[in-house]
Amino acid sequence: NELYNKSNMDFTKIAVMVDYKNRKEDLAKIESIDLIRVAFHMEDYIEALKYCKYLKDIGYKVSANAMITSRYSEKEIKELASLSTKYRIDYLYIADSLGNISLNNIDRINHLLTMNYDGKIGFHGHDNSGRALLNMEYLLSKNKDIIIDSCINGMGRGAGNLKTENLLIHLRQNHQYKISVESIISILILIDIEKAVYILTALINVHPNYGSLILEKNLSLEKGYSILKLLKGKDKYVFDRESFNKYVT
């Protein structure tokens, strides 16, 4: 509740994750929590889904996160999907916990879930093999209603999760999502500026050496952007220190 009150934003949604192995019973509904995500291994999915039903019955929205979903057989995926429908579970997640799911497996699982589950399907990608964005794009091409998880700077276990900044840029550039540069910068300022400046130059289509100038002059990312967007014509693409310097105040 303290976290919720500090946020003071109407659009803030708070989700918590529960490891089924460490679950608690006899819970009371906490009004500030909008969603509970229950993560479970294949060996526990039948009992874990019953626990999801229990959480639904006391008033929560619930997401079932089937860890290492690639392990499931066709029969198990169908049962996972049909039980999730029966228990009115709001979201059922393909979780690439090992960060190595193949496109064929994504296709197989998405098809079976789509045919046997009535709720919203999600994808939680880890980036252990550098494939999180690729897998997201492939799944999006198969299921336009898919819900995609991401984390700022990929914060997560192992090599991390799908990066929010990469996801937003990809959706803006390749799917014509109306995501402003300013919105993406609001994410970039939260990561290492030595990485962020080069993401910024790529985002707005200018020479990466301008990113080095932002670092050299110890400018904030916002200040650097305010200068870079003033560059015109070939000055954007051919690095010119003086073209940048004339806008520095």
Side-chain angles (χ1 to χ4, degrees), residues 27-29 36 49-62 86-90:
L27 297 176
K29 178 72 168 69
I36 294 183
L49 291 177
K50 290 178 182 177
Y51 184 68
C52 290
K53 180 181 183 299
Y54 159 69
L55 294 174
K56 283 287 296 181
D57 288 345
I58 62 175
Y60 286 109
K61 282 193 172 183
V62 177
K86 177 182 177 180
Y87 296 152
R88 301 174 291 107
I89 294 171
D90 302 280

Side-chain angles (χ1 to χ4, degrees), residues 97-129:
S97 311
L98 303 182
N100 65 358
I101 194 169
S102 68
L103 298 184
N104 286 341
N105 235 339
I106 289 175
D107 213 14
R108 174 183 75 92
I109 296 166
N110 177 66
H111 173 72
L112 291 170
L113 292 184
T114 301
M115 297 299 293
N116 295 281
Y117 173 58
D118 288 345
K120 293 283 189 179
I121 300 171
F123 176 67
H124 182 88
H126 283 256
D127 208 24
N128 296 359
S129 57

Side-chain angles (χ1 to χ4, degrees), residues 3-245:
L3 175 63
Y4 182 78
N5 292 334
K6 281 182 179 178
S7 69
N8 196 30
M9 294 183 292
D10 291 339
F11 58 83
T12 298
K13 300 293 183 183
I14 295 178
V16 298
M17 180 168 279
V18 174
D19 184 337
Y20 174 71
K21 292 281 191 184
N22 298 313
R23 67 195 179 278
K24 291 186 177 181
E25 309 287 352
D26 300 321
L27 297 176
K29 178 72 168 69
I30 299 174
E31 293 303 323
S32 59
I33 295 176
D34 299 284
L35 173 73
I36 294 183
R37 313 180 73 168
V38 180
F40 51 87
H41 283 288
M42 187 182 72
E43 289 77 9
D44 300 314
Y45 77 90
I46 292 176
E47 294 304 313
L49 291 177
K50 290 178 182 177
Y51 184 68
C52 290
K53 180 181 183 299
Y54 159 69
L55 294 174
K56 283 287 296 181
D57 288 345
I58 62 175
Y60 286 109
K61 282 193 172 183
V62 177
S63 170
N65 286 38
M67 293 191 289
I68 322 179
T69 320
S70 56
R71 291 183 62 205
Y72 287 67
S73 67
E74 178 176 338
K75 178 182 177 182
E76 288 162 337
I77 293 173
K78 286 181 177 178
E79 186 172 34
L80 176 75
S82 62
L83 287 174
S84 296
T85 297
K86 177 182 177 180
Y87 296 152
R88 301 174 291 107
I89 294 171
D90 302 280
Y91 309 100
L92 180 54
Y93 262 77
I94 303 169
D96 182 21
S97 311
L98 303 182
N100 65 358
I101 194 169
S102 68
L103 298 184
N104 286 341
N105 235 339
I106 289 175
D107 213 14
R108 174 183 75 92
I109 296 166
N110 177 66
H111 173 72
L112 291 170
L113 292 184
T114 301
M115 297 299 293
N116 295 281
Y117 173 58
D118 288 345
K120 293 283 189 179
I121 300 171
F123 176 67
H124 182 88
H126 283 256
D127 208 24
N128 296 359
S129 57
R131 296 169 51 85
L133 188 63
L134 170 67
N135 289 339
M136 179 283 301
E137 171 60 23
Y138 183 75
L139 191 49
L140 187 61
S141 74
K142 299 292 182 178
N143 184 348
K144 297 298 184 185
D145 294 325
I146 195 77
I147 299 171
I148 303 296
D149 278 6
S150 68
C151 298
I152 296 171
N153 201 31
M155 182 179 64
R157 185 173 55 187
N161 302 112
L162 173 63
K163 293 179 173 64
T164 299
E165 56 273 22
N166 290 353
L167 173 62
L168 294 179
I169 291 170
H170 180 79
L171 294 176
R172 170 186 162 91
Q173 293 183 339
N174 297 295
H175 292 275
Q176 289 72 55
Y177 277 59
K178 293 181 179 179
I179 302 169
S180 69
V181 173
E182 290 77 12
S183 295
I184 297 174
I185 288 175
S186 73
I187 300 295
L188 294 180
I189 61 175
L190 301 174
I191 71 175
D192 183 355
I193 192 170
E194 292 190 1
K195 295 179 181 178
V197 291
Y198 300 112
I199 298 173
L200 174 63
T201 58
L203 171 63
I204 63 174
N205 206 27
V206 302
H207 197 287
N209 283 359
Y210 289 120
S212 300
L213 268 186
I214 293 173
L215 295 175
E216 178 185 310
K217 295 180 179 297
N218 199 30
L219 302 175
S220 68
L221 202 64
E222 299 98 319
K223 179 63 176 178
Y225 171 59
S226 72
I227 295 170
L228 293 179
K229 67 183 182 180
L230 297 174
L231 297 175
K232 306 295 182 185
K234 72 177 182 63
D235 288 340
K236 293 177 62 176
Y237 314 113
V238 180
F239 176 65
D240 185 341
R241 179 180 291 266
E242 291 308 313
S243 293
F244 185 91
N245 285 342

